[in-house]
Amino acid sequence: MSLENTINEAIKTAMRAKDKVALDSLRAVKSQILLLKTEAVGAEVTAEQEIAILQRMVKQRKDSYDQFTAQGRNDLAEVEDAQMKVIEQFLPKQLSAEELETEIKNIISETGAESIKDLGKVMGVASKALAGKSDGKSISETAKRLLS
């Protein structure tokens, strides 16, 4: 089942349960998918694009959560955190730090990278291979640490 169909079913469930936070979050995801569809007229939305949308939305909510927390606005921070958790349910299982390190070590050996100068090669392959399984910041930090 495509992400769009899954989101539509989740919206129906949230409406029946009268879960306002989940409903708002899911409608935002659906809106982003529809926006992407209208931009790519006639083209199908790929799974990678759907994952990228979800990751971007989670990152936006995490940034907002951090800002609201720093400003002492816990009421708004709680809403952002709840929405972030709802959206994360639709992302693939995230890699643990150990799993991420193992994957990046494999990529480093495949690309023949030897120093920090080869970070670009490693990041290019790692970003595509680990899309949706880990965020770019974690990938970058781990690759830098392993290459230094």
Side-chain angles (χ1 to χ4, degrees):
M1 188 184 300
S2 73
L3 178 65
E4 185 176 14
N5 293 338
T6 306
I7 295 294
N8 285 333
E9 290 303 315
I11 287 174
K12 291 176 189 175
T13 304
M15 289 172 89
R16 287 185 199 113
K18 298 185 185 339
D19 186 348
K20 183 174 175 14
V21 173
L23 193 57
D24 290 344
S25 305
L26 296 168
R27 283 181 173 160
V29 172
K30 183 176 179 179
S31 168
Q32 290 296 314
I33 292 171
L34 291 174
L35 186 63
L36 183 63
K37 277 183 151 180
T38 57
E39 289 174 357
V41 177
E44 278 295 312
V45 177
T46 65
E48 291 82 21
Q49 290 173 315
E50 292 173 341
I51 290 171
I53 288 171
L54 293 174
Q55 286 178 320
R56 185 176 62 242
M57 293 181 78
V58 167
K59 185 177 184 310
Q60 288 171 343
R61 279 159 183 80
K62 185 174 182 345
D63 291 344
S64 296
Y65 173 81
D66 292 341
Q67 287 179 354
F68 289 141
T69 304
Q71 295 171 358
R73 294 295 309 267
N74 293 332
D75 55 330
L76 297 174
E78 289 172 8
V79 171
E80 294 296 327
D81 186 46
Q83 287 186 356
M84 183 172 50
K85 288 177 181 168
V86 170
I87 296 169
E88 284 176 338
Q89 295 172 358
F90 298 95
L91 280 171
K93 181 185 172 290
Q94 299 293 297
L95 294 175
S96 68
E98 296 81 26
E99 293 169 329
L100 178 62
E101 187 169 327
T102 304
E103 291 288 332
I104 292 179
K105 282 180 182 177
N106 293 339
I107 292 169
I108 289 172
S109 64
E110 287 173 15
T111 58
E114 297 174 0
S115 69
I116 197 77
K117 292 179 184 177
D118 300 321
L119 182 64
K121 282 196 288 188
V122 172
M123 284 301 297
V125 174
S127 295
K128 289 178 184 163
L130 303 174
K133 297 177 184 175
S134 186
D135 63 285
K137 184 178 178 184
S138 300
I139 294 171
S140 174
E141 288 173 353
T142 306
K144 286 178 185 174
R145 184 172 43 80
L146 292 173
L147 287 172
S148 344

